[in-house]
Amino acid sequence: ETIFVGVINKNLLLFKQDEQFLHYSIEHGHMEEEKIKDYFNLGVDLESLYKQWSKVDPIFNDISVNYPGVRMLRQHPVENLFSFICSANNNIQRISGMVENLAKEYGSKVCEFQGNEYYSFPDIDKLAQTGVEAKLRELGFGYRAKYIEESAGKILQLGGEEWLFSLRKMDYQEAKQNLLQLSGIGPKVADCILLMS
């Protein structure tokens, strides 16, 4: 039986899935079920979308048979944005390591569970501090280190987390243009951020 462990919004959760349900347990913190449903985009009617997409894309039609139920997460915009800054010219394993290093270095310890320490993703103000770029370069972030510190500072100037959440209420082009003013975010990364949060 596979159990997935993860931190969502400063809470430690365990997940397992069977043929019909996604089961969860909150090991540390408190999270309303509606927030979990939102994170996994469970309000989206995948069946009707799969039918629609399969009509116009024969490759998707073949894939959808083998991977029913695959969903895009609706991550917290802060974690999503900085994770995608880390993604430039990178592979998934390295991106995951960078995100984990951001959490360990600048996030808060959520708890220890089965011998492992778990950390929340850092708040924007922690990433905007002077010296973040230098520390992240030490940790192997390369040129992305500068983008993280600069973007965090710019987001704070624009209104912080509230500004990021306001992008959800904008139309696609307006939200994309807003993201493009941040360091390290080009058109492709902006699209990914919009898709995932």
Side-chain angles (χ1 to χ4, degrees), residues 79-143:
E79 182 173 358
N80 182 42
L81 185 141
F82 289 103
S83 296
F84 273 109
I85 288 176
C86 292
S87 75
N89 298 312
N90 234 334
N91 61 58
I92 292 172
Q93 185 176 359
R94 189 151 180 262
I95 297 163
S96 297
M98 290 174 147
V99 171
E100 197 170 310
N101 279 333
L102 281 173
K104 282 181 183 175
E105 195 65 36
Y106 296 103
S108 304
K109 184 176 175 182
V110 173
C111 68
E112 192 169 316
F113 179 73
Q114 295 184 343
N116 296 307
E117 292 181 340
Y118 291 89
Y119 295 84
S120 64
F121 197 81
D123 294 328
I124 301 166
D125 61 324
K126 301 274 185 175
L127 297 175
Q129 296 173 35
T130 304
V132 166
E133 178 185 352
K135 181 62 180 176
L136 293 181
R137 284 187 183 275
E138 280 177 33
L139 294 172
F141 281 66
Y143 63 88

Side-chain angles (χ1 to χ4, degrees), residues 1 16 22 64 67 73 77 84 104 123 130 146 160 181 190:
E1 177 175 77
K16 69 178 180 177
L22 173 66
S64 67
Y67 301 101
L73 296 178
F84 273 109
K104 282 181 183 175
D123 294 328
T130 304
K146 179 180 179 181
Q181 65 186 310

Side-chain angles (χ1 to χ4, degrees), residues 166-177 194:
S166 77
L167 300 180
R168 288 182 173 176
K169 296 178 183 120
M170 296 177 190
D171 69 39
Y172 164 71
Q173 286 298 336
E174 184 182 5
K176 185 173 182 175
Q177 288 307 310
L194 292 172

Side-chain angles (χ1 to χ4, degrees):
E1 177 175 77
T2 303
I3 295 178
F4 300 94
V5 181
V7 174
I8 303 174
N9 301 338
K10 301 182 181 172
N11 304 290
L12 184 72
L13 286 87
L14 306 182
F15 295 96
K16 69 178 180 177
Q17 187 172 5
D18 59 32
E19 291 296 318
Q20 290 186 307
F21 298 103
L22 173 66
H23 303 273
Y24 71 92
S25 146
I26 301 169
E27 293 300 314
H28 180 84
H30 171 76
M31 194 167 185
E32 297 167 10
E33 189 168 297
E34 284 307 309
K35 297 275 186 186
I36 296 169
K37 287 179 178 178
D38 183 61
Y39 183 83
F40 285 102
N41 253 331
L42 296 178
V44 174
D45 179 7
L46 276 186
E47 191 174 330
S48 66
L49 289 174
Y50 272 31
K51 286 177 184 173
Q52 187 181 347
W53 296 334
S54 293
K55 286 178 186 174
V56 295
D57 186 343
I59 294 171
F60 182 84
N61 187 43
D62 294 341
I63 292 171
S64 67
V65 172
N66 295 320
Y67 301 101
V70 173
R71 294 179 178 273
M72 289 288 184
L73 296 178
R74 190 167 192 229
Q75 287 182 294
H76 190 284
V78 173
E79 182 173 358
N80 182 42
L81 185 141
F82 289 103
S83 296
F84 273 109
I85 288 176
C86 292
S87 75
N89 298 312
N90 234 334
N91 61 58
I92 292 172
Q93 185 176 359
R94 189 151 180 262
I95 297 163
S96 297
M98 290 174 147
V99 171
E100 197 170 310
N101 279 333
L102 281 173
K104 282 181 183 175
E105 195 65 36
Y106 296 103
S108 304
K109 184 176 175 182
V110 173
C111 68
E112 192 169 316
F113 179 73
Q114 295 184 343
N116 296 307
E117 292 181 340
Y118 291 89
Y119 295 84
S120 64
F121 197 81
D123 294 328
I124 301 166
D125 61 324
K126 301 274 185 175
L127 297 175
Q129 296 173 35
T130 304
V132 166
E133 178 185 352
K135 181 62 180 176
L136 293 181
R137 284 187 183 275
E138 280 177 33
L139 294 172
F141 281 66
Y143 63 88
R144 297 166 202 86
K146 179 180 179 181
Y147 297 157
I148 290 168
E149 185 177 326
E150 286 181 353
S151 288
K154 181 71 173 176
I155 291 167
L156 289 177
Q157 288 174 7
L158 293 167
E161 203 172 287
E162 190 176 311
W163 173 78
L164 275 177
F165 275 101
S166 77
L167 300 180
R168 288 182 173 176
K169 296 178 183 120
M170 296 177 190
D171 69 39
Y172 164 71
Q173 286 298 336
E174 184 182 5
K176 185 173 182 175
Q177 288 307 310
N178 271 275
L179 286 174
L180 290 173
Q181 65 186 310
L182 301 175
S183 294
I185 297 181
K188 180 181 174 185
V189 169
D191 282 340
C192 291
I193 292 166
L194 292 172
L195 181 64
M196 298 285 286
S197 70

